[in-house]
Amino acid sequence: MTLPNRGPAPLSVASSGDLPATADVVVIGGGIIGVATALDLARAGHGTCLLEKGIIAGEQSSRNWGWVRQAGRDLRELPLSSLARRRWQTLSDRIGPDLGYVECGIAYVARSSEQAARHQAWVTEAAGHGITARILDPESLMAIAPGLARTGLSALYLPGDGRAEPQSAAPLLAREAVREGASIHQNCAALEIETDHAGICGVRTERGQIATRSVVVAGGIWSAPLLRRLGVELPQLKVLSSALRTGPLTEAQSSAFIPCLSLGGIALRHRADGGVTMASSATAVAEIVPDSFRHMQAFLPGLRSMLPGLKLRLGAATLREAGWLLSGSALERSLTRHRIMDPTPDRRALQQVKRRLAESFPALADLEEVQRWGGLIDVTPDVIPVISTAAGVPGLVVGTGFSGHGFGIGPGAGRVLAELATDQRPSVDLREFRLDRFGKGGRVEIQSWL
């Protein structure tokens, strides 16, 4: 049987009518970050226009694992992830079960004594942020994952962490934003952010101009080239992550493990349709592009830690992005030609996931695979996002580089981005996420707890 390699189809969202001539805030990007921002802006009464070159959640926001976690996060992200968890709870109460938000618990199984020690250290540090986690001893771990073939393992566990459905979440938030008064325009690429003597003055789109004094760039992998046209440098690269889903599990198979589990490079999530999404948490693929050299110094510390599971390759993006440096029109053509980036998944990585799953959970060895897909993750040198204004460009706000954490953090990030865009004090301290941390002499710190 030939399996489809295209990404999961997100829930559809109806576009608004004509492009507005003016807006209080223009949000660029229709992933979970952009729609959460638009929702908070519209609910607060601001005239909000969201632009998406493809469809809502067409790229990584519908292709991720679906985890909503605090477990093992970089300590700098904990206040933001706590805010996000509260927002997920509120949104679930408002939207209902279709959002798929469930606090089912997340466990990271330690594969070595060194990893177990890191887990214990994280539990201690997280307690200082008001987050209660615990280490499961082997007996407790087997109680929540009775199908495990290996015994004697421990795990980092947060019972309050959870999951949601990526194909539904961002579209449902977008529908809420429209009900609150936002206008959403799909298949409408933002080609250029315009400025005058006072700062941001508008956005040029493929359908015309929008006058505005405030723009939020939440374009994922497309953020850096768009910002470069403003003279704003953002060290951001992209890596390919691959996943697959299975058909529905039997009752016995479903009870073999906790709904969200990471074990030996495998990440598993129970789906609302009865199947499982699984992915590799140990490998990634990065295409070599001009930015790989431009930002090499910033990325070197993290690259060294990623090397065992990182594959570098030349591909279509190598030539395409070289063209962007030569011509602004080349970038504009890419924005309108590549409405949805739908990369081919890493077949070898997924085969390895299936082998490891069969070794770890014999009862799951014969699961029916029904779909596989790839997604491009926007990554920063320190693997935490940029949530920031930009020096020298009044009215510009950047929310990107979520490094694979965007889905879970999305509703919290949307709240603080909306606050930045309207000159309010952010709900959490954003100093660690400022754009200028990558400036000359800046020190890149990578926290590895998992």
Side-chain angles (χ1 to χ4, degrees):
M1 179 178 66
T2 301
L3 294 169
N5 282 330
R6 297 190 63 82
L11 193 67
S12 64
V13 176
S15 289
S16 304
D18 295 336
L19 205 65
T22 64
D24 294 337
V25 185
V26 173
V27 179
I28 299 175
I32 187 90
I33 307 299
V35 298
T37 304
L39 173 57
D40 270 45
L41 286 166
R43 182 164 290 131
H46 302 287
T48 305
C49 172
L50 184 146
L51 304 173
E52 166 53 48
K53 67 177 176 58
I55 60 174
I56 298 298
E59 295 187 356
Q60 187 59 16
S61 286
S62 63
R63 298 161 187 255
N64 60 82
W65 299 356
W67 288 21
V68 179
R69 70 174 172 93
Q70 297 178 98
R73 282 207 182 280
D74 188 304
L75 300 178
R76 294 167 290 186
E77 288 185 329
L78 288 182
L80 184 59
S81 62
S82 294
L83 172 63
R85 183 185 171 207
R86 296 192 296 273
R87 297 289 296 133
W88 276 108
Q89 292 166 335
T90 300
L91 290 166
S92 183
D93 290 342
R94 182 180 300 127
I95 294 172
D98 288 346
L99 190 64
Y101 179 65
V102 180
E103 293 182 358
C104 57
I106 290 179
Y108 279 87
V109 178
R111 302 184 298 277
S112 66
S113 58
E114 292 79 10
Q115 189 177 29
R118 291 197 299 272
H119 288 175
Q120 182 60 68
W122 188 89
V123 169
T124 302
E125 294 287 347
H129 293 267
I131 295 173
T132 301
R134 66 179 188 264
I135 300 297
L136 299 179
D137 60 25
E139 184 179 352
S140 299
L141 175 58
M142 294 303 293
I144 65 169
L148 258 178
R150 265 184 82 190
T151 58
L153 302 172
S154 67
L156 168 64
Y157 180 56
L158 262 74
D161 279 356
R163 58 181 175 162
E165 292 300 317
Q167 291 80 53
S168 303
L172 288 171
L173 267 60
R175 291 180 182 181
E176 282 288 302
V178 170
R179 280 192 281 270
E180 294 288 349
S183 67
I184 289 181
H185 304 273
Q186 298 169 97
N187 294 302
C188 182
L191 302 178
E192 187 174 14
I193 301 168
E194 300 176 319
T195 60
D196 61 14
H197 67 282
I200 297 293
C201 66
V203 178
R204 179 170 63 87
T205 82
E206 61 181 299
R207 297 187 197 168
Q209 312 281 133
I210 306 173
T212 186
R213 286 293 180 185
S214 182
V215 171
V216 177
V217 177
I221 64 170
W222 297 93
S223 298
L226 192 59
L227 290 169
R228 189 174 299 130
R229 304 197 74 181
L230 280 174
V232 176
E233 279 295 327
L234 169 68
Q236 175 181 292
L237 297 175
K238 51 189 172 293
V239 297
L240 170 69
S241 178
S242 301
L244 63 86
R245 67 180 178 91
T246 73
L249 274 61
T250 65
E251 185 175 346
Q253 290 170 330
S254 294
S255 64
F257 65 97
I258 189 175
C260 292
L261 180 74
S262 176
L263 169 72
I266 310 168
L268 303 171
R269 174 182 66 88
H270 286 188
R271 301 169 54 90
D273 62 13
V276 170
T277 292
M278 65 180 76
S280 170
S281 56
T283 60
V285 178
E287 286 196 2
I288 300 171
V289 296
D291 278 354
S292 305
F293 303 98
R294 179 194 294 265
H295 301 304
M296 182 180 293
Q297 185 173 357
F299 275 92
L300 271 178
L303 185 63
R304 291 190 186 102
S305 66
M306 292 174 62
L307 277 177
L310 184 66
K311 305 175 187 177
L312 299 175
R313 71 183 185 192
L314 297 172
T318 307
L319 291 177
R320 181 171 65 242
E321 295 187 28
W324 298 352
L325 298 178
L326 300 174
S327 166
S329 61
L331 171 61
E332 294 180 11
R333 287 194 298 272
S334 290
L335 287 165
T336 54
R337 288 178 181 173
H338 301 284
R339 298 288 181 184
I340 299 175
M341 299 298 287
D342 195 27
T344 302
D346 184 339
R347 180 182 60 83
R348 289 185 179 179
L350 292 180
Q351 287 301 114
Q352 187 176 44
V353 166
K354 292 168 72 173
R355 285 196 301 271
R356 288 182 175 175
L357 180 68
E359 292 166 2
S360 301
F361 290 94
L364 306 181
D366 298 321
L367 291 179
E368 177 194 13
E369 179 185 345
V370 297
Q371 188 180 25
R372 56 177 62 177
W373 63 85
L376 295 174
I377 297 173
D378 49 319
V379 179
T380 62
D382 53 9
V383 204
I384 61 173
V386 171
I387 304 174
S388 177
T389 55
V393 191
L396 176 65
V397 177
V398 180
T400 192
F402 282 81
S403 305
H405 310 165
F407 184 74
I409 285 179
R415 169 59 57 86
V416 294
L417 285 165
E419 291 166 341
L420 285 178
T422 53
D423 297 320
Q424 298 180 66
R425 183 177 180 177
S427 297
V428 299
D429 188 343
L430 298 175
R431 282 177 293 183
E432 298 287 358
F433 308 120
R434 66 192 188 282
L435 176 61
D436 64 9
R437 71 184 188 266
F438 303 116
K440 205 167 189 179
R443 178 174 175 269
V444 174
E445 178 190 353
I446 298 174
Q447 295 184 12
S448 178
W449 300 96
L450 296 174

